[in-house]
Amino acid sequence: MNWRDGRRSSNVEDRRGQGVGRPLAMGGGVLTLVAAVVVYLLGGDPGVVLSGDPSGAPTQVGTGGSGGQGDPAQEELKEFVSVVLADTEDTWPALLSAEGVRYVQPRLVLFSEAVQSACGFQESAVGPFYCPGDQRVYLDLGFFRQLEQQLDAPGDFARAYVVAHEVGHHVQNLLGISARVHEARGSRRDANALSVRQELQADCFAGIWAHHAQKQRHVLEPGDVEKGLNAASAIGDDTLQRRAGGHVVPESFTHGSSEQRVAWFRRGLEQGTLEACDTFRAGAP
């Protein structure tokens, strides 16, 4: 991915080294982390898995020596994230303006181990997330190592897909989609189904970003699209459930199957329009 000459965003807030809580004092390693991610995706409390305590008392997940401020590899990742964020800032204003919506740039918060947001206290184990309450994307850079080593999704474009997906949630917030989804939530089954549609649309919005980034700024290199599709597949609910050693339970999905995530990301990538990403229409897969 051609990113080193790209513009850096001024909307990156670095809170690394300001962790909250305490390191997790238990074994479990990869399986524990993957299981915690699965629990989170299913709408549960990852603290239960991470602490081994059914009360879900907060514990803190260490980053496994992934490094922090001053670590060359981490600083390069910070630069990369800043460029991808800047590129989303260059993509979305015109698209939303056509819908009569002004694009407000989100801030991206880098943190390590745990962070306090307007959406509450969150640990690294939940993965990257967007908080509509403060219009911020939250990311522990250690997730990229997990994406590569534990979920078999390496590469710059796989990492860019993650950032673009979270920015996609910000776009949903600006368009009023997030509020409508929140109001429509009923039973747990209905809430899960709506969550899947919302997540798949964010995948499609990530594809829209990639479409325009390539068309206007030629950021993609051979093999990048495949890496993005692989990342979308790696974090499908069915794939994560299998990795955790459990049964695949479609009714519990909150983010969509690997096949669905790949299909909607590809749809946004190929068509590049908001109309192509209406995952809420009747009959949408």
Side-chain angles (χ1 to χ4, degrees):
M1 182 174 172
N2 297 314
W3 66 270
R4 295 185 184 279
D5 294 331
R7 179 178 69 84
R8 272 61 173 170
S9 173
S10 61
N11 288 310
V12 176
E13 181 180 337
D14 196 343
R15 297 190 200 169
R16 291 175 297 165
Q18 303 175 27
V20 182
R22 63 187 185 278
L24 181 65
M26 66 170 286
V30 170
L31 290 179
T32 300
L33 286 172
V34 172
V37 171
V38 172
V39 170
Y40 171 72
L41 291 176
L42 299 184
D45 182 357
V48 175
V49 175
L50 296 168
S51 66
D53 180 357
S55 70
T59 57
Q60 183 56 50
V61 179
T63 57
S66 60
Q69 290 174 319
D71 179 88
Q74 290 283 295
E75 292 307 303
E76 181 170 288
L77 284 176
K78 177 182 176 180
E79 289 289 304
F80 172 79
V81 166
S82 178
V83 170
V84 174
L85 182 64
D87 206 79
T88 65
E89 294 166 354
D90 294 338
T91 296
W92 283 109
L95 294 172
L96 291 196
S97 178
E99 302 295 320
V101 175
R102 183 174 71 90
Y103 186 70
V104 179
Q105 296 178 354
R107 291 185 66 80
L108 189 150
V109 177
L110 299 177
F111 71 97
S112 55
E113 299 186 343
V115 70
Q116 186 69 40
S117 73
C119 296
F121 173 86
Q122 299 288 353
E123 297 178 326
S124 297
V126 304
F129 67 95
Y130 171 72
C131 178
D134 55 23
Q135 296 192 353
R136 281 168 163 80
V137 172
Y138 290 85
L139 171 66
D140 184 332
L141 293 173
F143 177 78
F144 291 149
R145 184 165 59 90
Q146 183 182 358
L147 187 68
E148 178 175 355
Q149 297 180 2
Q150 299 173 20
L151 301 179
D152 299 322
D156 285 342
F157 194 64
R159 292 186 280 266
Y161 154 77
V162 170
V163 175
H165 172 93
E166 298 306 330
V167 172
H169 284 308
H170 178 63
V171 174
Q172 290 175 321
N173 189 32
L174 296 178
L175 289 171
I177 295 169
S178 300
R180 292 196 294 271
V181 169
H182 181 74
E183 291 173 0
R185 292 180 185 274
S187 66
R188 181 61 177 271
R189 181 185 292 268
D190 291 340
N192 285 353
L194 284 169
S195 177
V196 167
R197 291 178 183 269
Q198 189 173 9
E199 293 295 334
L200 293 177
Q201 187 176 62
D203 285 331
C204 192
F205 284 176
I208 289 179
W209 161 75
H211 173 95
H212 290 277
Q214 178 63 5
K215 182 178 180 180
Q216 299 169 8
R217 296 175 290 279
H218 307 289
V219 301
L220 303 185
E221 296 177 317
D224 279 344
V225 170
E226 289 74 16
K227 291 174 182 175
L229 295 172
N230 183 48
S233 176
I235 54 179
D237 284 325
D238 52 341
T239 299
L240 288 172
Q241 286 181 356
R242 290 190 189 96
R243 284 182 176 274
H247 297 291
V248 174
V249 185
E251 293 79 9
S252 69
F253 287 0
T254 59
H255 284 60
S257 69
S258 294
E259 182 179 3
Q260 287 174 314
R261 301 198 73 165
V262 166
W264 281 102
F265 175 70
R266 186 189 296 276
R267 186 180 178 93
L269 176 66
E270 292 176 349
Q271 299 189 35
T273 66
L274 288 167
E275 292 76 14
C277 296
D278 186 5
T279 58
F280 294 91
R281 65 176 170 79

